[in-house]
Amino acid sequence: MGRGRPGSGIEPLQETIRIRFTWQGRRHYETLRLKPTAANIKAAERLAATIKAEIKAGIFNYTRHFPNGREAEQLTDDPTFGAFADRWLNTITVEFGTLKNYTSALNSVWKPAIGELRLRAIRRSDIQAVIATRRAGTSDLRPVSAKTVNNDLVPLRAVLDAAVDDGLLASSPAEKVKNLKHQN
């Protein structure tokens, strides 16, 4: 079994080969599903050299080299709503109670309903359908109040606005979703 040259960014493991590289100021690790034979280690070294050259030239595309990689979902230019919502939750600075409410709304309402959809695939009608279902209730869930629905819309709008700010969406699909009327 080969070892990989020092400084090559290749680490042979028992059943796989790990490739390491620095990109955008962060260290990245990806596991190649290759047995650590001399030929596979040589191929991994060539891949590492290609990646380093692309990074230096400014043309590196993470998801092209590692479409199912550890960070591919976060780096794609059209992530799923669930992945982007998780990333957004890790970047906001709010009070603990607010963070708890936002996390609860996203995890219990929006991710089950639209979490697997790509950001660009979400439509206003998808959001309206979730609202209608929550207001009417289902056989296993009782209806919720208009105020609860309005509170759940706050983090949804914030996530979609952040996607607009990041240039992932031209406009938010929640932009024209109105709050429901409720009694004070």
Side-chain angles (χ1 to χ4, degrees):
M1 175 171 80
R3 286 274 169 226
R5 286 181 314 192
S8 66
I10 301 303
E11 180 184 0
L13 303 173
Q14 287 194 324
E15 295 294 320
T16 59
I17 301 172
R18 182 179 295 148
I19 186 169
R20 298 182 311 267
F21 55 95
T22 302
W23 180 56
Q24 295 183 334
R26 286 188 44 228
R27 195 84 169 133
H28 297 271
Y29 303 86
E30 286 293 340
T31 301
L32 305 175
R33 304 272 178 235
L34 298 172
K35 293 243 184 244
T37 64
N40 286 344
I41 290 171
K42 194 78 165 154
E45 286 176 346
R46 284 193 301 273
L47 175 62
T50 300
I51 289 171
K52 289 175 184 176
E54 288 179 5
I55 290 170
K56 189 172 184 177
I59 59 170
F60 177 66
N61 182 328
Y62 199 103
T63 54
R64 185 168 56 87
H65 287 287
F66 307 106
N68 299 317
R70 295 174 0 158
E71 299 183 37
E73 180 62 37
Q74 285 88 15
L75 296 171
T76 182
D77 64 347
D78 191 17
T80 63
F81 175 82
F84 191 78
D86 288 340
R87 194 170 12 159
W88 176 80
L89 278 171
N90 291 325
T91 63
I92 61 172
T93 52
V94 294
E95 293 295 324
F96 176 76
T98 303
L99 180 62
K100 187 176 165 187
N101 291 339
Y102 286 2
T103 303
S104 174
L106 290 169
N107 288 340
S108 64
V109 177
W110 299 111
K111 281 190 197 175
I114 60 172
E116 295 302 314
L117 291 177
R118 298 278 175 195
L119 285 174
R120 293 187 190 131
I122 298 171
R123 302 285 173 250
R124 181 180 162 275
S125 58
D126 298 325
I127 297 167
Q128 292 293 127
V130 173
I131 292 170
T133 301
R134 297 211 53 213
R135 286 294 286 150
T138 61
S139 59
D140 54 337
L141 295 173
R142 62 186 182 87
V144 297
S145 70
K147 180 153 179 42
T148 299
V149 170
N150 292 345
N151 288 343
D152 292 343
L153 283 169
V154 172
L156 173 73
R157 288 182 179 126
V159 168
L160 294 172
D161 287 345
V164 171
D165 292 344
D166 283 358
L168 300 174
L169 293 175
S171 65
S172 169
E175 191 172 42
K176 294 187 178 181
V177 175
K178 305 270 190 246
N179 275 352
L180 302 177
K181 293 185 192 239
H182 66 89
Q183 291 182 348
N184 291 332

